Amino acid sequence: MTALFRLEALASQHDRSAFTSGDSRLDLYLQTQATQDSRRRIANCFVAVETATQQVVAYYTIASASVSTADLPPEDAKRLPRYPTMPAVRIGRLAVDRRYQGRGLGKSLLADAAVKAIAAAPASFALLVDAKDDQAVNFYKHHGFRQLVGMPRVLFLPLATAEKLLLA
């Protein structure tokens, strides 16, 4: 059976011009900025490509980050070393083309980001996201992310938890 989609690093052969997620800022980023950020090693961009049409139907970016230990919920912080920050991987942007929303691509992108973060040579404690709105907050919460203390739009998912939730 052939897979409907494949995930791969953004490359010059990917046509992004027709990508429309419903958020013009996310669309414009993919169309005009993502390649530059990858080239400058600011963020890596990965795309979901529909196998039948070769069309880019979703994407996400990841970059290195850190989270202040003081911003973690106390129940998480108490089990960690007393370092001022913990290493993390930030999901900077995540979007699915309108025509493909509701098919589980968002969860697949989260799982792929978790796999990449877990497999990376530098250790990371968690995935971080800055949710753009309440709908995005709910999406991430649905997939096990939790809010940082005092930052309702910044969410995290310990990679140990990601292995259980997203990769099961």
Side-chain angles (χ1 to χ4, degrees), residues 82-162:
R82 300 205 189 288
Y83 301 141
T85 61
M86 291 289 127
V89 172
R90 181 176 305 278
I91 298 174
R93 291 173 175 82
L94 186 150
V96 177
D97 189 289
R98 280 185 186 180
R99 296 164 289 185
Y100 298 87
Q101 292 174 1
R103 298 186 190 187
L105 279 170
K107 180 180 180 180
S108 295
L109 296 180
L110 288 178
D112 192 63
V115 166
K116 284 176 174 43
I118 290 165
S124 290
F125 163 70
L127 288 174
L128 291 177
V129 295
D130 296 308
K132 65 182 176 79
D133 57 27
D134 290 341
Q135 182 180 358
V137 167
N138 291 334
F139 168 79
Y140 289 113
K141 281 183 166 183
H142 176 77
H143 293 293
F145 283 73
R146 298 182 21 233
Q147 293 165 305
L148 292 179
V149 174
M151 293 185 245
R153 294 253 170 99
V154 182
L155 298 97
F156 77 104
L157 179 66
L159 286 174
T161 304

Side-chain angles (χ1 to χ4, degrees), residues 3-166:
L4 298 176
F5 305 98
R6 68 180 183 278
L7 289 168
E8 55 195 36
L10 178 65
S12 59
Q13 77 266 15
H14 293 122
D15 180 9
R16 298 161 273 177
S17 60
F19 185 86
T20 307
S21 68
D23 183 321
S24 60
R25 294 170 299 169
L26 292 172
D27 302 345
L28 189 62
Y29 175 83
L30 177 64
Q31 294 160 356
T32 65
Q33 187 69 37
T35 300
Q36 292 173 32
D37 282 358
S38 291
R39 189 173 39 247
R40 293 177 182 149
R41 302 193 53 77
I42 294 168
N44 287 325
C45 184
F46 298 92
V47 293
V49 177
E50 185 177 39
T51 306
T53 65
Q54 303 304 305
Q55 199 169 13
V56 172
V57 298
Y59 81 95
Y60 74 93
T61 65
I62 55 174
S64 62
S66 64
V67 60
S68 171
T69 306
D71 292 336
L72 294 170
E75 62 272 16
D76 290 294
K78 74 180 180 185
R79 293 180 286 206
L80 296 171
R82 300 205 189 288
Y83 301 141
T85 61
M86 291 289 127
V89 172
R90 181 176 305 278
I91 298 174
R93 291 173 175 82
L94 186 150
V96 177
D97 189 289
R98 280 185 186 180
R99 296 164 289 185
Y100 298 87
Q101 292 174 1
R103 298 186 190 187
L105 279 170
K107 180 180 180 180
S108 295
L109 296 180
L110 288 178
D112 192 63
V115 166
K116 284 176 174 43
I118 290 165
S124 290
F125 163 70
L127 288 174
L128 291 177
V129 295
D130 296 308
K132 65 182 176 79
D133 57 27
D134 290 341
Q135 182 180 358
V137 167
N138 291 334
F139 168 79
Y140 289 113
K141 281 183 166 183
H142 176 77
H143 293 293
F145 283 73
R146 298 182 21 233
Q147 293 165 305
L148 292 179
V149 174
M151 293 185 245
R153 294 253 170 99
V154 182
L155 298 97
F156 77 104
L157 179 66
L159 286 174
T161 304
E163 285 183 296
K164 296 174 193 164
L165 293 178
L166 294 172

